[in-house]
Structure formats: structure tokens, C-alpha cells
């Protein structure tokens, strides 16, 4: 860095700071400008250069410092068009979500410039900047303004196509911008390519080199993920992936926006009456019909995919199996004893867990003989408790309810396992248990739940292994439940069998 003591006047300090900024040395530019301001006092040109030397760093802390410098400069020179224009550019380029106050000051500053000097280059520039446009200087090949993002993306794509790689393209653009300090397109191009060279940002080049195919591919993939999640009830992270697909494009737009701000900050103000040389960049093309068609297609894809969960849901997600429950005459060789939770006043500890008001669609079947129940502590050989209804919104973990009730009883749980659900699908969970006076595994209860039914099959028979108990439970459930094609869900009403 040059010794700032050599800056013998504000003009010399301004020239040194401008040269350092044009040479890509913003730290040196800040040192020259800050030292001169401290030595000579407020100066609009030095404040302007110091602020721009902060903005070019593209960091929040430097943006805050730039705003502080601009505000201090405007306190001393409230009508300076250069400071007003630079501060307006900083505000208009800021993120409205991260810095809402700063962003809101942009239009106010722009209006102030237009009020002070409506026909000035600064007024024309900030007016177009506020509308998201860039003033294309009146070169022979650039007769009219165009949308800034369109020109910027075109210039970067053309530079990448003409150079062997990104590094060469960035170096060449930087050299051209230094030689032509008044060319806005060159300044923005140099800053954009320099930003793309930073670590991790080369992944964004696909969006630059082939924007239309990349955009269309991202939209199709996101729409596919969104529709698939709605169709198959996939987890929420699938939708998050669909959103993340658009992140690189958003990152590129943010990079370009900051590069435009830095490019505008490094520009020199053309001397009054000076004839500017023609830009070496070719005229930017107008928007093509192909771009219009692709953007419309992407818009349609995004809107349709967002609406797909509301407009289309597969039948398997809007319907559930409607079962009819019918008690077989026998189970495990035992006859049907009753379709009610009790037999002629004979109590049962097992059936006592059935809640009061077991409503429509419920069924309770007991199998065995009165003699067996009298000899087996009033327990039937097989007890079936179930409910046929819409279970689409019933948590699958409800299958553990019988197990949880046992844990609060005097019985001891000896084994718990998940079994294959069988033909009706859903979930099947079994638990073996016994009282303190019984052998281990004296009873086995297998509970199931699927989209249209739930229930528990209690086998009061000792010595059943896991596979045998689960197989009996599946066979029993499949024998009781049949799909009702009429679309109604009901349980067969049986008359209790008496002794």
C-alpha cells in the first residue's frame, strides 16, 4: 500500500483512492480516503470513495460502514448528487428482508435526487435502478435500455463462452473494466465473474451457461417430488428437497444483485462533455420467444405442482377398506360361545378391559364352552375384540394399547414382538403375559390396526411360540373380516349363546 502521507491535498488523496479502487485494492482505497478525511476534514469526493470502497467488499459489516460514511457525508453536504446517488444504490440493492429500513430509504433518496436535478445522469440512473433496470450508455451498438439482469446474465455467458475457463474470463473482464472505468456493463461483468470464482460458487455456473434447460429441469424435478409426496404420503423432507432445488438459482440472483452494486460503485463519473468510447461488448439480445415459452412453462409447472395436493389425491389415499365382521362358527376347534362380553353372568378379567359404549362397527366374540370358562378362571379359549371404521387418521402406535393396559394391570408381560401383518396389511403386534400364579406365556394377545379396522385377539392357551401365535391371530382376523363392496362398514350382530 502506498504511504498516505504522500497525499498532500484532498485532490491527491482522491486520485490515489480512486486509483486503488480501480486497481482492485479496496483496503488501500479506504486507507487513503480515511486518512485524508481525518487530515483535511469532510469532503464529498473522499466520503464517496470511502463508502464505495466498503461496498465493494460485499459483506454486511462493510455495507454498514458504507451507510455510516454516506450519512456522515450527507450531514455536511446534504445536496451532493454523488453521495445521494451512491447511498440510494446501496439502499436499493439491499435485501428488503434483512435490512427493511435501509431498503425503504432507497426510493426516498432517489426521489430527492430527482427533485434536486431531474435531468441529471444521477437522477436517470437511480430512477432506473429503482425499477430494476440499468441505463445502457448511448454507444453505437446499445441504443436503448434493457433489463439489467438479462444483460448481466448474457454478458457473463458470452464471456465464459469466449474464454478457456472461468479464471481467464474473470481476468480478461477485470482488465477491460480497469481500462474502461466508465463502462457500466464491463464493471458489472468483472464483478460478477470475480464473485463466481469464489469457493463453492462454481456450482452456479450451470444456471449461467444453460439457464433455460436448467430452470426447466429444476421445475420438473420439484414438481415430481411435490406430486409424489401428495400421492404416496411421503415424509415432509421430500417437500424440503423440492424447495432446495430452487436454492442455487436464488443464490445466483443474489450474487448478481450484489455484483451489480459493486460494479456501479467502482464506476468513475464521466467528465462533463467527454465523448465516451464505444463499449467492446456487443449489443445485448432482446428477450426471445423461447425464453418466454420456457418461463411460462415453468410457471405452469410450479403452480400445478403446488395445487396438486388439493386437486388430485389417489383413491388409496381418499378411501379405506370397508369391512364386514362375521364370527366363524369355530376357532381353534372351539365353538362360538358369545357375541357379548360375558356369558350368563360369568365374569371375565380379560373382557373387562373393553370400554363402555363400544359403538357402531364394534364386535366382541368369545370361543370356548361354559365348562372351559368355569375351569379357566372365566376366560374363554379365544377372545376377539375389534372395530371396523375409518382408521386413516388413527396413529399406527394405537396397536400398543392392549400392551399398555396390561402394563398397568397385575399381569406380568413376558414377551413383546412385531409380527408380519398378513393379507390385510397394517400392523400386527403381539404380547405374551401371565399372572403371578400362572406359567410364563399363559396368554398371548395379538393386536392389529389397518386403514379400516383394529382389534385384539387373545389366546388363552399356554406354550404358544411367536410364529404360531402370530399365525393364529392372522388366520382368525382374516376369517372374521371381509371387504364390504357395498361401501358400508358393519359388524355382524349375533345372539349370545347360553349354557
Amino acid at each position: 500500500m502506498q504511504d498516505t502521507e504522500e497525499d498532500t491535498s484532498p485532490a491527491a488523496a482522491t486520485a490515489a483512492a480512486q486509483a486503488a479502487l480501480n486497481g482492485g485494492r479496496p483496503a488501500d482505497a479506504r486507507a487513503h480516503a480515511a486518512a485524508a478525511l481525518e487530515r483535511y476534514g469532510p469532503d464529498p469526493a473522499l466520503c464517496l470513495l470511502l463508502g464505495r470502497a466498503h461496498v465493494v467488499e460485499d459483506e454486511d459489516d462493510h455495507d454498514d460502514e458504507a451507510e455510516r460514511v454516506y450519512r456522515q457525508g450527507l450531514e455536511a453536504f446534504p445536496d451532493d448528487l454523488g453521495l445521494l446517488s451512491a447511498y440510494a444504490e446501496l439502499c436499493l440493492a439491499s435485501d428488503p428482508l434483512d435490512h427493511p429500513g435501509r431498503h425503504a430509504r432507497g426510493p426516498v433518496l432517489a426521489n430527492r435526487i430527482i427533485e434536486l436535478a431531474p435531468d441529471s445522469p444521477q437522477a436517470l440512473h437511480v430512477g432506473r435502478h429503482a425499477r430494476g433496470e440499468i441505463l445502457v450508455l448511448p454507444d453505437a451498438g446499445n441504443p436503448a435500455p434493457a433489463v439489467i439482469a438479462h444483460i448481466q446474465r448474457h454478458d457473463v455467458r458470452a464471456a465464459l463462452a469466449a474464454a478457456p475457463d472461468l479464471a481467464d474470463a474473470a481476468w480478461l473482464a477485470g482488465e477491460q473494466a480497469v481500462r474502461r472505468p466508465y463502462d457500466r456493463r464491463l464493471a458489472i461483468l468483472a464483478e460478477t465473474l470475480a464473485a463466481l470464482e469464489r469457493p463453492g460458487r462454481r456450482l452456479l455456473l450451470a444456471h449461467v451457461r444453460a439457464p433455460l434447460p436448467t430452470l426447466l429441469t429444476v421445475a420438473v424435478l420439484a414438481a415430481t417430488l411435490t406430486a409424489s409426496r401428495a400421492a404416496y404420503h411421503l415424509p415432509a423432507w421430500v417437500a424440503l428437497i423440492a424447495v432446495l432445488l430452487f436454492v442455487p438459482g436464488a443464490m445466483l440472483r443474489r450474487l448478481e444483485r450484489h455484483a451489480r452494486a459493486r460494479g456501479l460503485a467502482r464506476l468513475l463519473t464521466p467528465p462533463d462533455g467527454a465523448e465516451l468510447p464505444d463499449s467492446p461488448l456487443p449489443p445485448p439480445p432482446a428477450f426471445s420467444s423461447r425464453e418466454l415459452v420456457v418461463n411460462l412453462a415453468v410457471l405452469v409447472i410450479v403452480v400445478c405442482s403446488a395445487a396438486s395436493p388439493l386437486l388430485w389425491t389417489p383413491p388409496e389415499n381418499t378411501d379405506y377398506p370397508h369391512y364386514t365382521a362375521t364370527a366363524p362358527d369355530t376357532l381353534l376347534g372351539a365353538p362360538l360361545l358369545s357375541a357379548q362380553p360375558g356369558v350368563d353372568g360369568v365374569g371375565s378379567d380379560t373382557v373387562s378391559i373393553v370400554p363402555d359404549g363400544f359403538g357402531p362397527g364394534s364386535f366382541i366374540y368369545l370361543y370356548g364352552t361354559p365348562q372351559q370358562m368355569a375351569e379357566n378362571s372365566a376366560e374363554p379359549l379365544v377372545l376377539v375384540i375389534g372395530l371396523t371404521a375409518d382408521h386413516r387418521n388413527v396413529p399406527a402406535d394405537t396397536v400398543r394399547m392392549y400392551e399398555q393396559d396390561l402394563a398397568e394391570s397385575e399381569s406380568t408381560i413376558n414377551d413383546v414382538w412385531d409380527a408380519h401383518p398378513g393379507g390385510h396389511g397394517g400392523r400386527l403386534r403381539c404380547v405374551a403375559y401371565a399372572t403371578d400364579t400362572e406359567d410364563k406365556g399363559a396368554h398371548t394377545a395379538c393386536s392389529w390396526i389397518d386403514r379400516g379396522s383394529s382389534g385384539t385377539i387373545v389366546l388363552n392357551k399356554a406354550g404358544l411360540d411367536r410364529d404360531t401365535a402370530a399365525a393364529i391371530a392372522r388366520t382368525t382376523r382374516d376369517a372374521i373380516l371381509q371387504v364390504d363392496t357395498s361401501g358400508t362398514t358393519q359388524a355382524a350382530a349375533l345372539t349370545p349363546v347360553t349354557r
Side-chain angles (χ1 to χ4, degrees):
M1 185 186 80
Q2 295 179 354
D3 187 357
T4 57
E5 294 296 331
E6 296 178 0
D7 301 333
T8 56
S9 67
T14 301
Q18 185 68 70
L21 187 59
N22 292 344
R25 304 189 313 278
D28 290 356
R30 291 194 298 273
H32 282 288
L37 285 170
E38 184 177 356
R39 186 182 311 153
Y40 302 114
D43 182 272
L46 288 170
C47 289
L48 178 60
L49 283 168
L50 181 56
R52 286 181 169 175
H54 279 295
V55 170
V56 77
E57 298 287 0
D58 190 25
E59 295 178 0
D60 287 342
D61 291 344
H62 282 283
D63 286 348
D64 293 342
E65 283 298 311
E67 182 172 25
R68 183 185 63 80
V69 170
Y70 291 149
R71 293 172 73 96
Q72 287 181 347
L74 288 171
E75 287 179 4
F77 310 97
D79 296 335
D80 186 83
L81 294 180
L83 287 172
L84 286 170
S85 179
Y87 190 17
E89 290 172 5
L90 174 67
C91 294
L92 291 169
S94 63
D95 193 312
L97 297 179
D98 295 339
H99 304 283
R102 179 183 297 169
H103 188 79
R105 284 190 286 274
V108 177
L109 292 165
N111 289 334
R112 175 60 176 163
I113 295 169
I114 294 172
E115 178 185 348
L116 288 173
D119 297 327
S120 66
Q122 291 87 349
L124 182 60
H125 171 66
V126 296
R128 294 194 180 280
H129 196 167
R131 296 193 300 269
E133 299 176 347
I134 182 172
L135 174 64
V136 180
L137 296 179
D139 305 326
N142 298 329
V147 176
I148 183 172
H150 175 70
I151 297 176
Q152 183 180 18
R153 190 75 61 85
H154 163 75
D155 289 343
V156 172
R157 189 162 54 249
L160 291 173
D165 55 31
L166 174 59
D168 289 333
W171 178 84
L172 180 60
E175 289 293 309
Q176 289 179 314
V178 170
R179 291 196 300 267
R180 298 171 179 268
Y182 309 119
D183 194 307
R184 298 176 186 271
R185 289 175 62 189
L186 278 176
I188 293 174
L189 173 61
E191 291 294 340
T192 307
L193 290 171
L196 287 171
E197 268 200 301
R198 296 177 184 173
R201 298 189 177 183
R202 294 187 178 224
L203 298 175
L204 306 178
L205 289 179
H207 287 266
V208 178
R209 296 182 189 273
L212 297 183
T214 302
L215 179 61
L216 193 58
T217 300
V218 166
V220 170
L221 287 176
T224 302
L225 289 172
T226 303
S228 298
R229 179 176 181 269
Y232 302 107
H233 288 295
L234 299 178
W237 57 261
V238 175
L240 178 61
I241 292 177
V243 173
L244 291 177
L245 290 173
F246 290 95
V247 169
M251 291 176 59
L252 178 61
R253 288 190 292 273
R254 180 182 176 87
L255 179 149
E256 290 172 333
R257 185 172 65 250
H258 285 287
R260 290 196 295 269
R262 292 193 304 273
L264 294 172
R266 68 183 288 173
L267 285 177
L268 293 180
T269 303
D272 293 338
E275 183 176 351
L276 299 179
D278 292 341
S279 173
L281 299 177
F287 282 102
S288 65
S289 57
R290 183 178 175 221
E291 289 177 292
L292 178 61
V293 169
V294 170
N295 281 279
L296 287 176
V298 168
L299 178 61
V300 171
I301 291 171
V302 171
V303 170
C304 291
S305 65
S308 62
L310 301 176
L311 301 178
W312 173 79
T313 305
E316 62 267 26
N317 289 328
T318 59
D319 199 4
Y320 62 94
H322 296 258
Y323 295 119
T324 296
T326 304
D329 293 335
T330 61
L331 281 177
L332 296 183
L336 175 66
L337 178 63
S338 175
Q340 302 294 330
V343 181
D344 290 345
V346 178
S348 169
D349 292 338
T350 301
V351 300
S352 67
I353 70 170
V354 179
D356 295 335
F358 209 57
S362 63
F363 55 90
I364 305 175
Y365 305 142
L366 283 71
Y367 287 85
T369 65
Q371 182 180 357
Q372 287 174 329
M373 291 189 65
E375 297 174 353
N376 194 28
S377 302
E379 298 288 356
L381 180 63
V382 181
L383 168 66
V384 183
I385 309 168
L387 174 65
T388 56
D390 181 358
H391 282 57
R392 287 176 298 167
N393 296 318
V394 177
D397 203 47
T398 304
V399 77
R400 301 182 54 162
M401 184 176 295
Y402 192 93
E403 173 189 341
Q404 294 166 350
D405 289 338
L406 283 175
E408 299 175 0
S409 71
E410 296 180 356
S411 298
T412 300
I413 295 177
N414 306 128
D415 192 13
V416 178
W417 69 96
D418 288 309
H420 191 279
H424 287 292
R427 186 179 178 190
L428 182 65
R429 186 175 176 86
C430 298
V431 55
Y433 61 98
T435 64
D436 294 339
T437 61
E438 296 174 322
D439 295 335
K440 291 178 61 176
H443 313 277
T444 304
C446 291
S447 301
W448 84 87
I449 185 169
D450 61 28
R451 291 167 59 81
S453 69
S454 61
T456 299
I457 299 169
V458 181
L459 305 172
N460 295 309
K461 184 176 181 179
L464 295 176
D465 59 44
R466 285 185 168 190
D467 292 340
T468 301
I472 293 174
R474 284 193 295 267
T475 302
T476 301
R477 181 192 62 177
D478 293 347
I480 292 174
L481 296 179
Q482 296 84 37
V483 176
D484 181 11
T485 57
S486 68
T488 58
T489 300
Q490 57 186 352
L494 301 181
T495 303
V497 179
T498 60
R499 286 184 292 183

